[in-house]
Amino acid sequence: MTDDQDRKPGATALEAVSNARRLSRERGDGKIRVLFVCLGNICRSPAAEGVATSIAVERGVSDRFEFDSAGFYGGHAGSLPDLRMRRAASYRGYTLEHHSRTVKLSDYSYFDIILGMDDANIDDLHDHAPTLDDLRKIARMSDFATAFPSARSVPDPYYEGAEGFELVLDLLEDACSNLLTLLLK
Ligand code: 4NP
């Protein structure tokens, strides 16, 4: 791969962003609907939802977004985020209050952009997409983490130590900041 092809966010991510802006504009409600997806919906995607919400509030643009998160594994459905994730997030000023839920088929039509955290999430999102148009909504969260040029995923921290949760938050803070900027451009 050349340096050019490696440069973030990359064409696929930027296309998903412009597709989302177009869908929101056509709907005319002034909001962009963003869904974050991981496996269990108790670590990475609820953290992404919390970080994105907090950045939007800080920037005074929370009325321009609707954020949610979901996962493909239903074993934690109804639960608050993992305590380790909540602790690490709380230390940085984020309160994570989402209750875990699985991805629904209606998410594909409802949301304007759907962000997966790793290869497995992206594959699952592609495999379940009801229409070809829905495929254009799917993007990789790490593609927006421009301060981490070599990161190709937001790695699953579930079986990792504390540093895994810190890395998730480092990646998400960078990716959410860039994603929100691009979506409002
Ligand atoms: P997440 O982390 O996908 O970031 O929420 C995980 C949470 C639970 C499991 C795997 C990953 N699990 O196998 O239970």
Side-chain angles (χ1 to χ4, degrees):
M1 236 188 234
T2 68
D3 285 350
D4 255 7
Q5 284 167 316
D6 272 348
R7 199 162 292 149
K8 293 187 178 190
T12 310
L14 290 176
E15 275 165 28
V17 164
S18 51
N19 185 57
R21 294 173 53 196
R22 179 182 58 80
L23 292 169
S24 166
R25 202 167 49 241
E26 285 171 4
R27 195 170 50 250
D29 65 354
K31 281 189 193 289
I32 302 178
R33 299 169 177 175
V34 182
L35 181 68
F36 300 103
V37 170
C38 61
L39 179 60
N41 192 215
I42 54 166
C43 296
R44 293 165 291 174
S45 61
E49 182 185 345
V51 169
T53 300
S54 176
I55 292 173
V57 169
E58 238 171 57
R59 293 184 186 173
V61 294
S62 52
D63 59 328
R64 301 288 318 278
F65 291 101
E66 184 175 335
F67 299 114
D68 196 0
S69 65
F72 277 100
Y73 169 61
H76 300 282
S79 299
L80 278 170
D82 185 286
L83 190 55
R84 297 165 295 171
M85 189 79 255
R86 273 190 283 152
R87 264 203 206 114
S90 159
Y91 196 73
R92 297 190 191 201
Y94 309 112
T95 306
L96 308 184
E97 294 174 320
H98 176 82
H99 290 261
S100 177
R101 72 167 179 89
T102 51
V103 174
K104 303 177 277 193
L105 277 189
S106 59
D107 287 332
Y108 286 93
S109 52
Y110 186 80
F111 288 95
D112 298 318
I113 186 165
I114 304 176
L115 295 130
M117 301 293 151
D118 61 24
D119 285 342
N121 309 150
I122 297 286
D123 287 349
D124 280 338
L125 283 166
H126 281 139
D127 289 349
H128 291 84
T131 73
L132 287 177
D133 277 348
D134 295 334
L135 290 174
R136 303 174 61 200
K137 297 183 174 184
I138 300 165
R140 178 182 292 266
M141 194 61 181
S142 54
D143 281 355
F144 296 93
T146 54
F148 298 82
S150 60
R152 291 287 171 260
S153 70
V154 179
D156 186 347
Y158 194 66
Y159 296 105
E160 303 296 323
E163 67 286 355
F165 291 86
E166 297 302 330
L167 174 62
V168 165
L169 288 170
D170 289 344
L171 287 164
L172 292 178
E173 286 178 336
D174 183 32
C176 286
S177 173
N178 295 324
L179 175 67
L180 266 56
T181 299
L182 289 166
L183 284 170
L184 289 187
K185 232 176 186 173

